[in-house]
Amino acid sequence: GDSVTQMEGPVTLSEEAFLTINCTYTATGYPSLFWYVQYPGEGLQLLLKATKADDKGSNKGFEATYRKETTSFHLEKGSVQVSDSAVYFCALLPVYGNNRLAFGKGNQVVVIP
Amino acid sequence: ETGVTQTPRHLVMGMTNKKSLKCEQHLGHNAMYWYKQSAKKPLELMFVYSLEERVENNSVPSRFSPECPNSSHLFLHLHTLQPEDSALYLCASSQATGTVHGYTFGSGTRLTVV
């Protein structure tokens, strides 16, 4: 079935560093792709999305581009802040089937002052 | 009030207690979901309601009992839970079909079973 794979392990980086979190997917057709963020003690919030190939989603300085050729949707931010410390989930909504979001395992990001 | 609201935010219960979690959405969505989020584990989809009918039950123990009285409200009734049921329980909603917008999540209920 359709699925999402995120890079293993937490990410620790210094304030103002460049952040990349990798996400690749397996799917039929052109699924919709999402990044969700979960701040400590909270639920998941939609960070950005892209619904077709070459679309770029962006929000709060974060960006991700829907790359059909590499089946990827990597999340990037040019200069992180301590407030960006959170868990980030990549997700996919299949074109066909039962309208179920498929989530990656999530990546803990810790930004150190 | 907009978005998805979950109550209570925190719940501590004994193994012999009965309690209920509540979820409410005012987004006009017609599908609602319960997820379990445990430490070091992927998100687990527990139940799905679409157009007020349960359409998915992912091998969840019977000590968890969902209820969806209308398209805006979802409950999770809990009884005789185990300590391993301690987790963050997340509710989400969406359109049932044809959505490209993903799901909207509540802030969750942090459940501790003692």
Side-chain angles (χ1 to χ4, degrees), chain B:
Chain B
E1 197 175 325
T2 58
V4 177
T5 303
Q6 289 188 245
T7 53
R9 289 296 306 273
H10 301 273
L11 178 63
V12 178
M13 60 185 288
M15 289 189 282
T16 57
N17 290 160
K18 290 184 181 181
K19 296 286 185 183
S20 297
L21 310 185
K22 180 181 176 182
C23 177
E24 188 173 353
Q25 59 93 7
H26 299 283
L27 300 168
H29 290 164
N30 51 19
M32 297 186 79
Y33 312 84
W34 279 117
Y35 282 86
K36 178 182 179 183
Q37 188 177 34
S38 304
K40 313 292 185 188
K41 288 187 176 181
L43 278 169
E44 299 175 46
L45 179 61
M46 300 174 72
F47 301 104
V48 180
Y49 277 82
S50 179
L51 303 172
E52 299 167 38
E53 286 192 24
R54 191 191 313 179
V55 296
E56 198 161 325
N57 176 346
N58 290 316
S59 303
V60 180
S62 59
R63 56 186 184 269
F64 295 91
S65 175
E67 179 190 3
C68 187
N70 55 62
S71 60
S72 298
H73 294 86
L74 183 66
F75 295 89
L76 188 63
H77 303 301
L78 316 171
H79 64 98
T80 59
L81 293 192
Q82 304 299 311
E84 61 264 28
D85 298 322
S86 298
L88 181 68
Y89 289 84
L90 293 165
C91 174
S93 69
S94 75
Q95 292 299 332
T97 59
T99 180
V100 297
H101 300 296
Y103 298 173
T104 302
F105 283 84
S107 297
T109 294
R110 172 68 62 187
L111 174 67
T112 303
V113 181
V114 298

Side-chain angles (χ1 to χ4, degrees), chain A residues 32 34 36 38 41-44 46 49 51 89 93 98-101 103 105, chain B residues 9 35 37 43 48 55-56 88 90 95-96 99-103 105-107:
Chain A
S32 296
F34 306 85
Y36 282 84
Q38 185 177 28
E42 296 294 325
L44 277 68
L46 179 64
K49 67 180 182 184
T51 58
F89 293 90
L93 194 64
N98 57 12
N99 208 51
R100 300 288 175 268
L101 266 181
F103 283 95
K105 292 183 178 180
Chain B
R9 289 296 306 273
Y35 282 86
Q37 188 177 34
L43 278 169
V48 180
V55 296
E56 198 161 325
L88 181 68
L90 293 165
Q95 292 299 332
T99 180
V100 297
H101 300 296
Y103 298 173
F105 283 84
S107 297

